[in-house]
């Protein structure tokens, strides 16, 4: 028996991520958090919480989105997942992996999130 995926939960997490994007600057201003000071313990604390929450939400959303696509495909073998994928992003550029590559599909973007590797400032992969 396949797992149950709560689509509303995915939408709720996306909503929270949008709220974080829109409120982050005001939050830092209100609590006098400065990322550009030499040492700001408040920034380190804020950044740590932000990174954990954003990472966890993104990973959960990405995995559940891929699972939904897989379940839909297994339910209906004639279903064109690529077409639905293209329609779901509605011609938006949702990300680029490399500047010379074609735009990412929703599924490819989810895969990049799930299998993310950090980069150093010089562009090399972290060990």
């Amino acid at each position: 028996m396949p797992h149950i995926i709560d689509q509303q939960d995915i939408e709720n997490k996306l909503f929270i991520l949008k709220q974080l994007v829109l409120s982050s600057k005001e939050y830092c201003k209100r609590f006098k958090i400065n990322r550009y000071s030499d040492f700001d313990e408040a920034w380190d604390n804020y950044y740590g919480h932000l990174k954990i929450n954003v990472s966890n939400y993104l990973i959960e959303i990405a995995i559940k989105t891929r699972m939904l696509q897989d379940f839909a495909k297994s339910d209906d073998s004639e279903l064109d997942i690529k077409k639905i994928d293209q329609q779901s992003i509605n011609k938006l550029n949702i990300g680029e992996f490399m500047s010379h590559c074609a735009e990412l599909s929703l599924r490819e973007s989810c895969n990049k999130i799930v299998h993310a590797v950090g980069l150093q400032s010089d562009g090399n992969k972290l060990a």
Side-chain angles (χ1 to χ4, degrees), residues 1-6 63-64 67-68 71:
M1 182 169 99
H3 299 288
I4 296 173
I5 303 295
D6 181 1
I63 290 170
K64 287 182 177 181
M67 289 175 72
L68 279 173
F71 290 163

Side-chain angles (χ1 to χ4, degrees), residues 17 38 44 63 66 84 93:
L17 288 174
D38 287 337
D44 291 340
I63 290 170
R66 290 187 330 179
I84 293 171
N93 182 358

Side-chain angles (χ1 to χ4, degrees), residues 58-70 81-82 85 94 96-97 104-117:
L58 282 175
I59 291 166
E60 188 173 334
I61 291 166
I63 290 170
K64 287 182 177 181
T65 299
R66 290 187 330 179
M67 289 175 72
L68 279 173
Q69 288 180 334
D70 293 344
I81 293 294
K82 287 185 181 185
D85 193 307
I94 58 174
E96 294 177 1
F97 179 59
L104 294 174
S105 68
L106 181 59
R107 184 170 187 92
E108 291 167 330
S109 295
C110 290
N111 288 339
K112 298 297 179 206
I113 291 167
V114 171
H115 302 290
V117 174

Side-chain angles (χ1 to χ4, degrees), residues 17 20 49-60:
L17 288 174
L20 283 172
H49 285 303
L50 191 63
K51 186 173 182 177
I52 288 168
N53 284 298
V54 169
S55 293
N56 285 337
Y57 279 10
L58 282 175
I59 291 166
E60 188 173 334

Side-chain angles (χ1 to χ4, degrees), residues 17-84:
L17 288 174
K18 289 180 208 174
Q19 290 294 314
L20 283 172
V21 168
L22 296 173
S23 64
S24 186
K25 186 175 182 178
E26 183 59 34
Y27 181 91
C28 289
K29 189 187 307 182
R30 177 172 290 179
F31 292 101
K32 297 175 178 49
I33 298 171
N34 184 356
R35 104 184 239 189
Y36 299 107
S37 68
D38 287 337
F39 178 76
D40 186 351
E41 189 175 335
W43 168 255
D44 291 340
N45 188 39
Y46 173 71
Y47 179 74
H49 285 303
L50 191 63
K51 186 173 182 177
I52 288 168
N53 284 298
V54 169
S55 293
N56 285 337
Y57 279 10
L58 282 175
I59 291 166
E60 188 173 334
I61 291 166
I63 290 170
K64 287 182 177 181
T65 299
R66 290 187 330 179
M67 289 175 72
L68 279 173
Q69 288 180 334
D70 293 344
F71 290 163
K73 183 67 177 170
S74 69
D75 247 13
D76 183 353
S77 61
E78 294 181 23
L79 193 64
D80 187 351
I81 293 294
K82 287 185 181 185
K83 183 177 178 181
I84 293 171

Side-chain angles (χ1 to χ4, degrees), residues 51 112 115-127:
K51 186 173 182 177
K112 298 297 179 206
H115 302 290
V117 174
L119 295 179
Q120 297 175 358
S121 59
D122 62 3
N124 292 319
K125 289 182 181 179
L126 293 172

